[in-house]
Amino acid sequence: MGIAGTNDEGLMAFAARQNLRLLIWAGLFAISGAGFLLQRQIGVALATDPSVIDLVATLTSFLSLAGASFSIRCPQCKLSLVWHAVTHQGIGEWLAWLLHVKVCPRCGYQCRHHDAS
């Protein structure tokens, strides 16, 4: 792909040690999705206005996305790789860079296979 400091393992190598946090954020995101899809049913079950369920689902989705983005960090210098990608890469390039990054752009940390176990 020609992106400096990247390879095919990329983000998963950096995120391997942070799987539990990522699973928690993904679970919260899934719960917020259920809130969007089932807002009326949940509202009836909880005797609450569906707009309240929609608001809670919206806030939960933003919280889970922000939490997940800040959970993916360099193990050495703690650089938030998602935030770095969004602020330093182009609009159409940040996701590709993030999915393929192998070397931390701040400290040069190189995640190897045996580091991720």
Side-chain angles (χ1 to χ4, degrees), residues 95-115:
L95 184 58
W97 181 88
L98 184 63
L99 292 174
H100 294 94
V101 68
K102 180 69 173 168
V103 177
C104 176
R106 179 189 288 165
C107 69
Y109 177 81
Q110 292 184 355
C111 192
R112 294 172 292 282
H113 268 312
H114 65 274
D115 288 344

Side-chain angles (χ1 to χ4, degrees), residues 1-2 14 16-17 22 24 32-35 40 43 46 50 54 56 61 66 68 71 74 76 81 87 99 106 110:
M1 188 177 270
F14 272 108
R17 292 186 175 198
L22 293 174
I24 290 169
S32 69
R40 289 183 189 206
L46 298 177
D54 194 34
V56 169
S61 66
S71 291
C74 171
Q76 188 169 338
L81 295 172
T87 58
L99 292 174
R106 179 189 288 165
Q110 292 184 355

Side-chain angles (χ1 to χ4, degrees), residues 59-110:
L59 293 175
T60 305
S61 66
F62 286 133
L63 173 70
S64 63
L65 289 173
S69 70
F70 290 111
S71 291
I72 302 172
R73 295 184 172 273
C74 171
Q76 188 169 338
C77 71
K78 306 300 184 207
L79 173 69
S80 172
L81 295 172
V82 174
W83 185 250
H84 180 83
V86 170
T87 58
H88 290 86
Q89 301 297 317
I91 291 175
E93 300 169 355
W94 71 268
L95 184 58
W97 181 88
L98 184 63
L99 292 174
H100 294 94
V101 68
K102 180 69 173 168
V103 177
C104 176
R106 179 189 288 165
C107 69
Y109 177 81
Q110 292 184 355

Side-chain angles (χ1 to χ4, degrees), residues 29-40 42 50 53-54 56-58:
F29 192 69
I31 289 169
S32 69
F36 285 124
L37 295 174
L38 305 171
Q39 65 182 344
R40 289 183 189 206
I42 295 171
I53 304 300
D54 194 34
V56 169
T58 301

